[in-house]
Amino acid sequence: MVGSDLDTNKVDGCVTTDVQHSYLRHMIDSIMSETSSSFAATFIQGSLQEGGERRNTDLEMSLAHEPMGTRESAVQNSCAASAMEWSIQLEKGLRSSKPGAPAQAILQLGRHLEQWSRELESDKSGIAPNVISGVVPGEARLFANAILLRLAGAFKGGDKEIKVSVVKAFSNERRHRNGQKHRECKGLLSKERVANHLELLNQVRYVFQNGDSESKELALILLGCWAEFAHDNAQIRYLILSSLVSSDPHVAKAACFAAGCFSEISDDFALITLHMVYNMMSLSTVSLPVKLAAAQVVPKLRSTFENIYKAYQAGVRFLSSILDEDVLVAVLSSLTELSSLYSPIAEIQVNFLISFLKRERTSRVQEAILRCLQFLFQKGLCQYPAEYLSSITQQYNHNFTFN
């Protein structure tokens, strides 16, 4: 059990200092922000810069930085042919007593998993890379599932450093797929390739049910990264949805991340999430960081054009009831990004933003609207010429130009 006084209690067998705790918090937030990088996420995160947490350089060197080596140093053989060696190196690293070695081994393997997913997704020949490399049919999938199961075991039984490393490895793999149509992804984590997905999910669910707040956060983020094969599991769906209303704001934020990942894939999950996130943002009992995390889910409600339209309509209605300027700016940016996915809605959003701009608003809201317009203009989704937009906006911000 972990007590409230973290600097005097043992966590996972080692004393957690205030500096380590702050750094762990920084790492969890960084993983979510890096994996959720988008127009709305960048805009919203800028609204919530919590200042001044001092970072520990030694911990940064051991955990935040990925292993030495460049991504350009491609594996000569196919990833399938290298899987056995990667599995051996992972096992050596996890068994090493050298400080930081297990975490480094996990991060190194994470780069390989990302490369492997890219290889699988980019293969257009119809001939699997493992066949070309002479790998026995089925062997590559066997090694892949063994590696995934070993990482899940490390997440379940490892300390916080190992847990963060496992999550970071999978968040990097997910990040390379951002912007793709997730239904069409055929990478390493697609459900058809993960034979032991129930066992993997049970390991993570165990951590959530038996861990402290930080372990719950990490478990939720990992489930989000595994949405490709976890999105239709009833127990996991309930775990995420129930965590959205957690009294722990950090757990609720992590649940927002996971809900966004699931909503990109699952139509019915997206519809449930749609109502929950707008309700969260309307409640006075929900903290601002959680409301901003909920706003970042809105652009993820894009599994179908019907869901995009429903989420957009609900957001426009919700705008009239927002009293908090931070939430208002967050929802404006999220609706703008959501509208950019479907050109008819983008045209509606442009007209809406212009009309919204003409109302009496603070300079901060006006600037947010201008940035939203610029985002749509740069994507070629604005039906007005730059000169027209510039003439409208000059009275609000003389230094703002459309180009």
Side-chain angles (χ1 to χ4, degrees), residues 134-375:
V135 178
V136 176
E139 188 177 81
R141 185 168 299 191
L142 181 64
F143 277 120
N145 279 273
I147 288 172
L148 295 177
L149 192 58
R150 186 65 180 96
L151 288 173
F155 181 80
K156 178 182 177 182
D159 60 21
K160 290 291 175 59
E161 184 182 31
I162 288 179
K163 283 180 168 64
V164 171
S165 299
V166 171
V167 173
K168 189 171 178 62
F170 283 105
S171 69
N172 287 342
E173 192 279 336
R174 175 179 173 78
R175 189 170 58 192
H176 95 266
R177 290 184 274 114
N178 278 350
Q180 296 184 29
K181 294 181 178 179
H182 287 272
R183 291 173 182 272
E184 299 175 3
C185 288
K186 302 296 182 182
L188 194 65
L189 295 180
S190 59
K191 190 170 183 178
E192 64 185 43
R193 295 185 183 277
V194 182
N196 50 1
H197 60 272
L198 290 178
E199 191 171 357
L200 296 174
L201 296 175
N202 285 336
Q203 303 256 33
V204 179
R205 193 158 61 93
Y206 177 89
V207 172
F208 180 89
Q209 292 173 338
N210 296 278
D212 59 10
S213 174
E214 290 161 345
S215 295
K216 292 180 189 296
E217 286 179 78
L218 291 167
L220 285 165
I221 299 170
L222 185 54
L223 290 172
C225 294
W226 287 357
E228 302 263 344
F229 63 83
H231 67 88
D232 58 354
N233 183 285
Q235 291 179 318
I236 299 302
R237 287 159 68 104
Y238 176 78
L239 184 153
I240 292 172
L241 292 172
S242 61
S243 297
L244 286 173
V245 295
S246 171
S247 59
D248 185 331
H250 297 300
V251 172
K253 285 173 60 180
C256 285
F257 171 85
C261 297
F262 276 49
S263 295
E264 289 180 310
I265 302 171
S266 173
D267 299 347
D268 62 329
F269 190 93
L271 289 175
I272 297 170
T273 303
L274 185 160
H275 297 292
M276 291 191 70
V277 294
Y278 282 125
N279 185 58
M280 290 165 64
M281 288 187 282
S282 69
L283 296 175
S284 59
T285 54
V286 176
S287 67
L288 177 61
V290 175
K291 289 182 178 181
L292 297 185
Q296 289 187 59
V297 178
V298 173
K300 305 292 187 181
L301 304 173
R302 58 189 186 191
S303 56
T304 64
F305 288 128
E306 182 181 3
N307 280 355
I308 292 173
Y309 188 63
K310 287 180 178 179
Y312 178 78
Q313 283 188 315
V316 170
R317 290 194 299 269
F318 177 64
L319 280 170
S320 62
S321 65
I322 299 176
L323 301 177
D324 189 300
E325 190 173 88
D326 289 312
V327 179
L328 177 61
V329 169
V331 174
L332 281 170
S333 61
S334 291
L335 288 178
T336 298
E337 182 173 341
L338 182 70
S339 72
S340 72
L341 300 171
Y342 191 31
S343 56
I345 299 179
E347 292 182 8
I348 296 172
Q349 178 69 353
V350 169
N351 289 323
F352 174 77
L353 290 170
I354 292 175
S355 66
F356 207 68
L357 181 65
K358 293 178 179 179
R359 304 174 196 175
E360 187 175 347
R361 298 286 174 182
T362 66
S363 58
R364 182 184 174 209
V365 174
Q366 290 172 353
E367 183 179 355
I369 294 171
L370 293 174
R371 292 190 181 280
C372 290
L373 284 169
Q374 186 179 56
F375 171 77

